[in-house]
Amino acid sequence: MRSSEHVVIADHHQVVVYSGNSPAVTEDSISEFGDGLVAANDGGLRIFTGTTYGPVTVQVELHDEEPALPSTEWTEVSEISFGVRTGPVEIGTLMGGPIPESPDLAFSGPGWYRIRVAAQGRDRGQAGEVGERYLLATWLAPEAAANPVRKSDQIGKSFRGEEIGERPEEASEASAKNALRVLVELLQNGAGNVPPGNGGIGLEVAIESPVDRVAGFVRSLPAWPSWLGDGGIPDLQGKWVSWFSSFDGFRIEGTPVVEASSVTTTWEYSQLSAPPPGESFPGYRPLLAAPSVVRISWRTDANGTVVSLHHNDLPEPLEAPMTDLWRYYLDRLSKLCKTGAFAQHPWQ
């Protein structure tokens, strides 16, 4: 056996295995999220990570024969057949391509290989914690059906579309869905240009999870888009952006400041608009006269953690629907801290 260990930057919840020229793969292995850990397409393999963006450790093992299954600390294990016409087959990042030090997984040239992918710590990675690891073992073997050997982490359930823990109450979901509709209508009709109200929003919730776990999720910039909307991304300038598929071109974004027991972020709504005069491309038009400010703080409580939220500098007409949304978001945060993964939004 030949073994090597590498640090790879997960991007958009993925580590990628690149093939030299369009591998042949078994038909039943091809789907958007595969079996929740690995999926194959014409360009290689995609391995799904708990970390949205950041370093994970990948150990590569090249075997002369099928190895024993890894220990139970590897919470998800999948095997897939991979036909190589021409190499190399290398691990890498979604945006950066193969990493320079990657070994060639097709170590014996063209032919059929079996690749076993094992994962541990994906739920910790989803929480913004360190220690997420992957094991890629490969050996020569005839083509065979894909085999999800072990399924036991929460992030795998999320990728497979399985029900995760408790959903927010139906009444809370209906209220949040209506509040978002009202909020978008108000913003599109110019309510964001009204001067900020004097009161602002102040809410507090008790979460039955350790303070470090709660802080890990709230501090994790890549977690914000999925917590608040259908999806989104952190960008290279330290901002986060979240969008809502039910409202074309509508998004929220902010620039956070992370401290020991709080996160403070600007909070801006914007809408995709037609290109301005003299421009060729559309842009995002701010819907607030000036960004509002959100501060989320936390403290230890006898039963877990108390989270306090203050949303200030928000125009008064927006305060009522935004209060309903924050109650819903804090409920989602509570369930996220218990299960380690996001329940589906009602507006997806």
Side-chain angles (χ1 to χ4, degrees):
M1 180 192 74
R2 287 150 285 175
S3 178
S4 59
E5 190 169 282
H6 312 271
V7 175
V8 181
I9 302 300
D11 191 359
H12 285 73
H13 282 291
Q14 295 178 58
V15 167
V16 181
V17 176
Y18 290 91
S19 172
N21 79 327
S22 297
V25 297
T26 54
E27 183 177 352
D28 61 351
S29 69
I30 303 174
S31 68
E32 183 179 5
F33 292 110
D35 61 9
L37 174 59
V38 61
N41 57 32
D42 287 342
L45 302 179
R46 294 178 295 141
I47 300 167
F48 301 108
T49 64
T51 299
T52 305
Y53 182 87
V56 299
T57 300
V58 180
Q59 182 177 339
V60 177
E61 296 180 354
L62 310 179
H63 294 267
D64 295 326
E65 58 186 15
E66 180 179 351
L69 286 171
S71 62
T72 55
E73 67 182 349
W74 298 92
T75 53
E76 296 250 340
V77 181
S78 295
E79 293 179 357
I80 190 167
S81 287
F82 196 79
V84 179
R85 300 187 186 96
T86 249
V89 176
E90 302 168 296
I91 59 172
T93 65
L94 181 65
M95 302 303 291
I99 61 174
E101 64 272 24
S102 172
D104 185 359
L105 275 65
F107 57 89
S108 190
W112 279 98
Y113 291 81
R114 195 69 168 168
I115 295 181
R116 177 184 294 151
V117 180
Q120 62 174 270
R122 289 202 299 174
D123 291 343
R124 293 198 305 271
Q126 172 78 349
E129 302 171 14
V130 298
E132 189 171 347
R133 296 180 60 87
Y134 294 85
L135 173 64
L136 272 66
T138 180
W139 64 96
L140 283 165
E143 179 185 3
N147 180 24
V149 178
R150 192 178 297 158
K151 300 178 181 179
S152 62
D153 63 23
Q154 294 293 323
I155 194 70
K157 291 181 181 180
S158 178
F159 282 125
R160 290 188 290 271
E162 299 172 9
E163 191 67 31
I164 302 166
E166 302 175 71
R167 290 179 61 100
E169 295 294 333
E170 185 174 345
S172 175
E173 289 191 340
S175 176
K177 196 169 186 176
N178 181 66
L180 182 61
R181 179 187 60 78
V182 170
L183 178 71
V184 173
E185 288 179 357
L186 286 169
L187 287 165
Q188 290 175 336
N189 290 328
N193 293 317
V194 175
N198 295 322
I201 298 170
L203 298 172
E204 195 166 87
V205 62
I207 297 179
E208 295 178 2
S209 295
V211 68
D212 289 347
R213 183 167 179 80
V214 176
F217 278 114
V218 181
R219 285 196 189 114
S220 176
L221 184 60
W224 279 61
S226 296
W227 173 37
L228 297 169
D230 292 352
I233 55 172
D235 68 16
L236 297 178
Q237 285 73 46
K239 293 184 177 181
W240 56 271
V241 178
S242 190
W243 56 72
F244 299 85
S245 59
S246 299
F247 301 94
D248 188 37
F250 177 75
R251 73 181 190 182
I252 52 176
E253 60 185 296
T255 302
V257 175
V258 180
E259 298 178 310
S261 58
S262 68
V263 173
T264 302
T265 181
T266 56
W267 188 274
E268 176 65 275
Y269 296 102
S270 57
Q271 181 84 42
L272 192 65
S273 62
E279 299 288 339
S280 302
F281 300 99
Y284 279 89
R285 173 176 59 90
L287 298 174
L288 293 177
S292 56
V293 177
V294 173
R295 185 174 188 270
I296 302 175
S297 59
W298 51 88
R299 65 182 188 274
T300 301
D301 180 73
N303 297 316
T305 306
V306 174
V307 174
S308 299
L309 179 139
H310 295 275
H311 193 160
N312 299 319
D313 302 322
L314 191 68
E316 191 275 334
L318 308 181
E319 288 184 0
M322 195 66 235
T323 299
D324 283 344
L325 281 170
W326 274 123
R327 289 195 180 104
Y328 176 72
Y329 291 149
L330 291 174
D331 192 29
R332 288 195 89 215
L333 176 64
S334 177
K335 291 176 172 59
L336 166 65
C337 292
K338 292 178 182 178
T339 65
F342 295 102
Q344 188 177 12
H345 256 308
W347 41 75
Q348 284 184 309

